[in-house]
Amino acid sequence: MKNNNRLFKGGVLTALAALSVPASAVEKPIILDTVNIIGDATAAKDIPASAQVISTEQIRDQSYSDINRILRRAPGVNIREEDGFGLFPNISFRGVDTTRSAKITVMEDGVLTAPASYSAPAAYFNPAGGRMSGVEVLKGSSQIKYGPHITGGVLNYLSTAIPDSGKAYLKTIYGSYNEVRTQGYVGDTVDTAQGRFGYLVEGFYRGSDGFKSIDTTPDFQNADQTGFQQVEPMVRLSWEPNTDIYQKLEVKYGYSSMDADETYLGLSEADFRNDPYRRYSASRFDNIDSQRNGGFARYFISPTDNLDIVTTAYYNEFDRNWSKLNDIRNVPNASGVGTQNMDLANALAGTNGGNGLACLKGDLACQLRVRDNNRSYYAGGVETAANYRFDVGSTQHELNGGFRYHEDQETRFQHDTTHRQAANGTITSTTVGAPGSQDDRSGLTNAYAFFLKDRIELGKWGFTPGMRYEHLNQVYKNNLSPNTNGRSSLDMYAGGASLDYRFNEDFMMFGSAHRGFSPPSPQNAVIDKLKEESSNAYELGGRYSHGAFSAEMTGFYTQFENLLVVNNIGGAGTGQSENFGAVDSRGVEMAMNFDAGKAFDWSFSNPYFLSFTYTDTEQLNNATSTDAESIFSYGKKGNKVPYIPEYALSFGSGLHFNKWGVDVSGNYVGETFTSANNTGVQVNGAGTPDARFGKTDDYVIADVSAYYKVAKGIKILGGVQNLADEQYLVSRQPYGPRPGMPIFAYGGFELDFDI
């Protein structure tokens, strides 16, 4: 049996491939970090699909914690910023809906990490990018192994692994807006008579006063109350017993807490252009408080040289309450007769003679209705995957199959609080609704998933067919409307194959076709009677790697057959969804890396990188939705998909000497339409002024960082992000124009020691 096939040395399950060698057979004991979806950059070059790995060094060099900035290095990734810090990312791969990253599969260490990936996948929780040791992005037919959202791609966060030998690390920076960020960990793996024991204890903290300023009123003077605090400790333990059969048990537990004075409310167009970092006094009550805890137990075993099995049991709980301005009420009519209740986006666009905007600014008597979006989630399950390697004649096979049982639930128990505002912005009285009086419902999903893939190699050819099947049982319960309660079941199928040819050790080409799916929520399935979103996707690409240069170029074409559209982006919509219908997404992705220092044998490193994405999206039918909460409302056949830029480009370079180094990167993003009706003005399809409609800005931002090595393991570092202090509009959702982060400067130190 040959176990040296190119894919088997570093493919989709790099860590599992290592298991094929018993610990007793090598001089240095095997350290198995985790199950990656790709592996390292070396492994990525052998995958017959578009695959990118962002390494620890690439994250640390620019001291990033914002996942939006980290992902700029990966082509084919579309990002809609929201808060400027990356707390609430909106990530899309190859043209899928960006909203709350709900249409991609998000994992941490190979485990689903969204609060409820099936019942409510919107990413109101996102692990801190600055805590990660790497990020993996996988697209194309290889994602069939994962789920439940495989119409776009897979994003896998890699947390800090248990080190092979004693390691202590500490990094602290202080920056603009009183931002403090600290990451520290200590870990080791030791040999004992009972086997090898490993441990890692890590802490992460990030806090900031925020870069926005709230208008003050006679009874509110905390203008700088726009920041956040984020805490994420983690513990990992492992044991590799001294047995003839390789085995390993790993346990991980993590906790996350965030308190952020963030708002859904944007600005009017005129106020944004005058001061994009302003917030109206009506948003002063807005705050999100969240806690998450959970982890996994993972058992690896390699009964034979050709068989590896990994079983993972996982469980997470997530609670959050985002109290935020929902709408304004009893706003005097411009005619001077009577009052009306107003949607925030209409008020920002100047309807009702500007009286709604005056209310938001604290210049008019009205009522501010704040909604406590109190929600709790849990997710848990168990999955087993196995790799079996064998030969049939001249062909070499790696058969990979698995099963997962997953259960998750979202529970909403919400109420409204009404503040009565005087003409000078002072709050004169407050009425608090009964808990659960606004919303009291839950959605539960039980999912059974199966996948099977076979990697077949014959000479320079490779062929990888695969299929995935999921059966869902969903329950929807609404205590305020019991007549809507119900159950639903759904069977989803996906499948595809890739074909690749390796011309030599440096150059390969690949092509694939696969059918993907993304399930509806329990409410969408039970009430709206929606089936899964489905797509047919094709890609053709090539990858070259030799010495100091590597490049990958991929063309893709995705046909979304029934795009599911959610009508509650701002939190005040109907909550119902529609099957928008057909959308085509096509484009080109390109990534290149080159180190001139390595190529020309210089005494220093001089790396360059480039990431380019061209995406052309087209709606193939009209939308039926007229709810402005949906970015697809009033969509027209032939229009572009909102928030997907046609061009995006990231590039950078660095100089790294023995004692010091500097890195510079730039990022260009083209303008986008913010709604499917592709209007350039703040007017929806019904002719009503609405601040959610219009365009974003195109922009170029540059980041620079530098470090100096004081001694071995000790660095002093600093940098500036958004070096030119570019002011740019990144989103009109949830309610009106929102800015990217202004100039941010920081300094700090990094300690990295062997112990």
Side-chain angles (χ1 to χ4, degrees):
M1 169 65 197
K2 298 179 180 179
N3 286 332
N4 62 345
N5 297 343
R6 62 178 184 270
L7 184 67
F8 302 161
K9 290 192 293 183
V12 177
L13 284 176
T14 304
L16 282 180
L19 285 174
S20 62
V21 183
S24 59
V26 293
E27 294 182 3
K28 183 178 179 182
I30 296 172
I31 297 298
L32 191 59
D33 294 338
T34 185
V35 174
N36 303 344
I37 66 171
I38 298 173
D40 57 19
T42 302
K45 71 183 182 67
D46 288 322
I47 292 180
S50 177
Q52 287 80 37
V53 178
I54 301 173
S55 68
T56 305
E57 292 73 21
Q58 291 169 338
I59 296 174
R60 289 181 180 176
D61 283 348
Q62 290 282 12
S63 293
Y64 287 148
S65 189
D66 182 347
I67 187 61
N68 297 323
R69 275 180 149 80
I70 293 172
L71 286 175
R72 295 297 186 192
R73 295 183 72 110
V77 178
N78 307 117
I79 297 166
R80 172 167 65 87
E81 294 188 46
E82 183 170 321
D83 56 85
F85 291 107
L87 304 178
F88 308 103
N90 299 273
I91 302 169
S92 163
F93 294 163
R94 294 184 172 175
V96 301
D97 184 9
T98 61
T99 305
R100 293 279 185 255
S101 310
K103 292 300 182 181
I104 63 173
T105 295
V106 183
M107 301 187 294
E108 181 175 332
D109 297 328
V111 175
L112 295 174
T113 193
S117 297
Y118 289 81
S119 299
Y124 287 90
F125 166 77
N126 194 69
R131 177 172 63 82
M132 298 302 153
S133 65
V135 176
E136 299 176 305
V137 174
L138 182 65
K139 303 181 288 289
S141 64
S142 293
Q143 64 178 304
I144 286 177
K145 176 183 173 180
Y146 309 97
H149 306 284
I150 52 174
T151 56
V154 181
L155 170 65
N156 187 37
Y157 292 91
L158 299 175
S159 65
T160 305
I162 299 173
D164 184 1
S165 56
K167 174 76 71 174
Y169 177 82
L170 177 65
K171 181 176 182 177
T172 297
I173 66 171
Y174 175 79
S176 305
Y177 328 116
N178 289 322
E179 175 157 340
V180 176
R181 196 184 312 157
T182 298
Q183 180 190 17
Y185 63 82
V186 60
D188 195 3
T189 300
V190 296
D191 290 293
T192 72
Q194 289 72 38
R196 308 190 77 231
F197 288 88
Y199 73 91
L200 177 87
V201 179
E202 179 182 56
F204 178 86
Y205 171 82
R206 186 185 183 194
S208 171
D209 288 346
F211 56 81
K212 296 181 181 179
S213 180
I214 305 176
D215 295 346
T216 59
T217 65
D219 61 345
F220 175 78
Q221 300 296 314
N222 298 324
D224 61 350
Q225 189 177 306
T226 64
F228 67 92
Q229 292 189 8
Q230 188 177 29
V231 179
E232 293 192 5
M234 183 185 73
V235 177
R236 298 179 81 154
L237 303 172
S238 67
W239 175 44
E240 298 174 61
N242 289 329
T243 57
D244 292 335
I245 295 176
Y246 183 87
Q247 300 177 76
K248 180 174 180 179
L249 176 65
E250 182 177 8
V251 178
K252 169 186 168 183
Y253 172 79
Y255 172 79
S256 177
S257 174
M258 185 177 68
D259 188 305
D261 294 315
E262 276 296 335
T263 182
Y264 270 33
L265 185 66
L267 297 168
S268 72
E269 191 78 17
D271 288 335
F272 180 89
R273 299 305 175 185
N274 182 58
D275 179 7
Y277 312 121
R278 175 186 179 184
R279 273 177 51 178
Y280 298 138
S281 62
S283 71
R284 64 187 181 270
F285 302 104
D286 292 6
N287 170 271
I288 180 171
D289 179 42
S290 68
Q291 295 83 35
R292 182 181 190 267
N293 68 88
F296 64 75
R298 178 172 280 152
Y299 174 64
F300 306 87
I301 185 170
S302 186
T304 71
D305 289 352
N306 298 329
L307 176 63
D308 313 314
I309 304 171
V310 56
T311 300
T312 306
Y314 57 93
Y315 183 79
N316 296 292
E317 292 183 349
F318 179 64
D319 297 286
R320 60 97 162 175
N321 185 10
W322 197 334
S323 296
K324 59 182 182 289
L325 186 66
N326 187 75
D327 56 14
I328 51 180
R329 309 178 73 79
N330 289 354
V331 180
N333 288 326
S335 65
V337 179
T339 63
Q340 63 176 281
N341 302 329
M342 297 188 65
D343 179 89
L344 299 179
N346 301 140
L348 290 174
T351 58
N352 192 20
N355 281 0
L357 187 58
C359 170
L360 296 176
K361 293 180 178 181
D363 296 333
L364 189 69
C366 61
Q367 294 181 2
L368 311 176
R369 188 166 70 158
V370 175
R371 179 154 296 166
D372 277 80
N373 288 274
N374 183 30
R375 303 177 189 178
S376 60
Y377 308 78
Y378 76 81
V382 60
E383 58 184 352
T384 296
N387 273 17
Y388 180 60
R389 294 170 291 280
F390 60 95
D391 292 346
V392 176
S394 300
T395 62
Q396 298 167 327
H397 294 250
E398 182 180 33
L399 189 64
N400 183 213
F403 164 79
R404 179 176 70 201
Y405 170 75
H406 176 93
E407 177 176 310
D408 63 39
Q409 178 173 290
E410 177 199 38
T411 300
R412 302 189 182 197
F413 195 66
Q414 304 178 174
H415 68 274
D416 291 336
T417 299
T418 302
H419 302 280
R420 291 168 181 82
Q421 174 178 281
N424 65 351
T426 301
I427 301 302
T428 59
S429 65
T430 297
T431 301
V432 181
S437 57
Q438 188 276 322
D439 203 353
D440 182 6
R441 57 187 165 103
S442 64
L444 170 69
T445 301
N446 302 101
Y448 303 84
F450 305 84
F451 78 90
L452 185 65
K453 294 180 64 176
D454 187 14
R455 170 66 180 175
I456 307 168
E457 294 188 355
L458 176 63
K460 295 184 177 182
W461 289 95
F463 179 58
T464 311
M467 59 84 63
R468 184 177 188 85
Y469 164 73
E470 297 205 23
H471 175 77
L472 275 57
N473 293 316
Q474 296 180 300
V475 180
Y476 176 74
K477 182 179 180 181
N478 190 329
N479 293 323
L480 300 183
S481 301
N483 60 304
T484 63
N485 294 351
R487 297 173 177 269
S488 177
S489 64
L490 182 65
D491 293 295
M492 303 187 299
Y493 301 88
S498 65
L499 180 68
D500 59 274
Y501 182 80
R502 181 170 289 279
F503 294 85
N504 50 50
E505 285 299 313
D506 300 330
F507 178 53
M508 72 175 293
M509 292 195 68
F510 56 86
S512 71
H514 83 278
R515 180 173 179 81
F517 57 65
S518 179
S521 70
Q523 178 183 354
N524 297 154
V526 173
I527 296 179
D528 306 321
K529 310 300 181 184
L530 295 180
K531 300 298 182 180
E532 73 273 17
E533 176 178 300
S534 61
S535 65
N536 295 311
Y538 312 90
E539 70 174 359
L540 178 65
R543 187 181 291 118
Y544 178 82
S545 179
H546 181 77
F549 177 77
S550 64
E552 176 183 307
M553 180 176 289
T554 307
F556 65 89
Y557 176 44
T558 304
Q559 299 169 305
F560 296 96
E561 296 180 330
N562 49 336
L563 194 71
L564 298 187
V565 179
V566 182
N567 289 356
N568 62 347
I569 294 171
T574 63
Q576 296 180 334
S577 294
E578 69 160 325
N579 179 346
F580 175 82
V583 169
D584 277 1
S585 176
R586 58 183 69 86
V588 177
E589 306 166 353
M590 181 172 63
M592 292 193 297
N593 292 275
F594 175 66
D595 190 331
K598 181 179 178 180
F600 302 115
D601 199 25
W602 295 340
S603 61
F604 58 91
S605 174
N606 181 208
Y608 295 82
F609 79 88
L610 182 146
S611 173
F612 169 78
T613 304
Y614 165 74
T615 311
D616 177 33
T617 59
E618 181 183 4
Q619 303 171 46
L620 302 183
N621 49 253
N622 295 336
T624 60
S625 173
T626 58
D627 186 343
E629 290 288 326
S630 168
I631 60 176
F632 280 87
S633 59
Y634 306 102
K636 298 297 183 183
K637 181 179 180 180
N639 284 1
K640 302 291 186 182
V641 172
Y643 288 110
I644 304 298
E646 190 171 13
Y647 296 101
L649 174 68
S650 293
F651 51 91
S653 182
L655 291 170
H656 297 270
F657 296 86
N658 289 332
K659 281 285 190 178
W660 64 275
V662 60
D663 288 279
V664 179
S665 64
N667 182 60
Y668 166 77
V669 178
E671 68 176 15
T672 69
F673 289 109
T674 63
S675 62
N677 72 335
N678 287 190
T679 179
V681 296
Q682 296 185 91
V683 178
N684 65 29
T688 303
D690 192 310
R692 290 167 289 205
F693 290 74
K695 290 184 177 181
T696 63
D697 293 338
D698 58 352
Y699 59 89
V700 177
I701 55 175
D703 299 338
V704 60
S705 65
Y707 65 87
Y708 179 78
K709 295 181 181 178
V710 178
K712 182 180 180 181
I714 304 176
K715 286 183 182 179
I716 297 175
L717 49 88
V720 181
Q721 296 172 9
N722 192 1
L723 183 63
D725 198 19
E726 180 82 6
Q727 295 183 355
Y728 53 103
L729 192 159
V730 295
S731 178
R732 293 179 179 273
Q733 297 282 352
Y735 289 119
R738 308 176 70 86
M741 187 178 70
I743 187 171
F744 173 77
Y746 65 90
F749 65 88
E750 181 182 72
L751 309 178
D752 192 352
F753 292 112
D754 295 327
I755 57 175

